[in-house]
Structures are given as C-alpha cells and as structure tokens.
Amino acid sequence: MKEEQKDRLKQARIAAGYASGAEATRSFGWGYEAYKANESGKRKLTSDTAERYGKAYSVKPEWLLYGASHSDPTMAINKTQSFTQTVSFSVPVVGAVQAGHWVSMDILDEIKEAGLEVPGDPHYKEFDQYAVKIVGDSINNFAKDGEYAICVDIHAGIDPEDGDYVVVEALRNGGAEIETTIKQLRITLDGPELWPDSTNPKHNGPIYLGKNGDEVRIKAVV
C-alpha cells in the first residue's frame, strides 16, 4: 500500500507525543477542522502547512509532502521536548473575549488581568503572542468559559487559513466601542466568513468580512 501525505502526517504527530489531532491542535493553536482535513487526506498539504507541521513535529516538510529522505520521525518527540524546555516563556493575559459585549475604547486597560501570565507557544516569538480569557459560550465547542487562548498577532506574518480560529475585533459608533471575540474562519466562494462554534443556538450566524456595517478585522490567530 502506497504511503500518502496523511499517513506521514499522522506518523509525525504520534511520534511527537500527541495521541490525537485534537490534542495537537490545542497545543499548537491550529484550526481543528483544517488540520483534520489534512490528516484525513481530504485536503492536500501546501508548502506552508507542511512547513508549519514540520516545525511543530520536528520533521522535514519535504518528507511530509513527498516522502523524501528525512530525519527519523520517531525522534520528533525528543526534539520537541528539548526545544520547548530551552525556550519556554509566559505571555501576558491582555483581556477577555466575549460575544455581544461592547466596551468603550477608553476603558480597555481597566479590564486587563495585570500580573497574570500563561505559557506561550515556543514555535513563535514571545513578543508576537498574548493570551485572552474566554467569557461565555459562543466558542464552547473549541474552548470553554473561563479558559485562556494563546494568540499570535497577524503582524507576526502568520496568514489565517480556512478552519483557523481567530481573534476578531468589531468597532461601532465611529470606533468608540469595541467587541472582541473568537470566531472560526471559513473561506467561501463569496468571501471570508467568521462563525461562532457553539452548542448555544443563539450563536448561529456568521460575520462577513468587508460586508457588514461595523468595522471588523482579524487581530490574531489562536
């Protein structure tokens, strides 16, 4: 039986110590649906995704893509553990994300959790990261109320992909008020959409980037 990309990706994940794709996506902050599509073979790896997974699992992207000569993937867990121990750090919690909760721009500093820090992702630079506290249930299929999400600012050069969870800022009243939420990015033929991921039926509609009255922007990738 011919080995495919999805088989090599699964091998690398297991060798890196992650029992499931869900565990890996939580650890690295990837979009679960996009990763699941790669590991199931429904979506082929691109050079960018192979680079991302290869860096995380300590295997060569060329091997993930083509099965070319590479470092033994069974060594990935040892390399990953060593790398994490070397560059471990914490990032600040800069506030909360909550659907439907609008605050004045001039009180944003007051809602920061001063002094509280959580572990950062060693695969990105410390100053490109921060954490937010999740409030409410608009994203509870991904993360629960009271949990923290590690975010990588898009200015770090990361490009959100279909299926990624992203931090979204919406402005209204001429920019005087802001709502910060986490949504799942879906790329459609009609353009990008930002969806809640919740068991609560009241969170059931998308935000259309560039098509609704409020100014909406993607701030970071979770």
Side-chain angles (χ1 to χ4, degrees):
M1 181 176 177
K2 183 178 179 181
E3 185 180 71
E4 300 180 8
Q5 285 184 350
K6 63 184 181 69
D7 303 314
R8 293 189 290 273
L9 182 58
K10 183 176 181 180
Q11 289 175 34
R13 169 178 58 76
I14 293 173
Y18 298 96
S20 67
E23 182 182 348
T25 57
R26 285 194 299 270
S27 178
F28 294 109
W30 300 329
Y32 174 68
E33 293 298 329
Y35 183 84
K36 183 172 69 173
N38 288 144
E39 195 169 291
S40 67
K42 292 182 179 179
R43 181 183 302 164
K44 293 293 185 181
L45 298 178
T46 65
S47 58
D48 287 341
T49 54
E51 183 76 25
R52 178 190 303 177
Y53 299 149
K55 183 177 181 181
Y57 295 152
S58 294
V59 297
K60 290 185 177 180
E62 294 81 6
W63 174 71
L64 290 173
L65 287 167
Y66 312 114
S69 177
H70 65 287
S71 301
D72 184 352
T74 61
M75 297 298 292
I77 183 172
N78 295 328
K79 295 178 182 178
T80 301
Q81 288 175 341
S82 175
F83 180 67
T84 301
Q85 291 168 0
T86 302
V87 298
S88 61
F89 54 82
S90 294
V91 297
V93 177
V94 300
V97 291
Q98 182 177 4
H101 182 63
W102 293 84
V103 298
S104 298
M105 293 290 286
D106 58 1
I107 69 168
L108 284 180
D109 287 340
E110 298 178 15
I111 64 173
K112 294 182 180 180
E113 299 191 38
L116 180 62
E117 295 189 338
V118 296
D121 186 338
H123 299 87
Y124 298 97
K125 295 178 181 179
E126 179 177 359
F127 55 80
D128 290 331
Q129 299 183 64
Y130 58 88
V132 292
K133 185 177 183 179
I134 295 165
V135 178
D137 59 4
S138 69
I139 203 75
N140 67 355
N141 282 324
F142 172 68
K144 308 300 183 186
D145 178 54
E147 294 183 343
Y148 294 89
I150 307 298
C151 311
V152 180
D153 195 284
I154 58 170
H155 292 112
I158 186 170
D159 293 320
E161 298 182 353
D162 181 53
D164 282 348
Y165 289 89
V166 294
V167 177
V168 179
E169 290 183 347
L171 304 177
R172 70 180 184 184
N173 295 333
E177 294 181 308
I178 186 169
E179 177 198 40
T180 307
T181 62
I182 290 178
K183 296 287 192 292
Q184 187 175 35
L185 176 65
R186 300 181 188 176
I187 306 299
T188 73
L189 293 176
D190 295 325
E193 300 176 352
L194 299 163
W195 284 82
D197 189 5
S198 175
T199 58
N200 187 337
K202 80 174 185 179
H203 302 295
N204 60 2
I207 296 173
Y208 300 95
L209 277 177
K211 295 184 179 181
N212 48 286
D214 296 324
E215 182 181 347
V216 177
R217 61 194 178 201
I218 293 176
K219 179 69 174 177
V221 176
V222 177

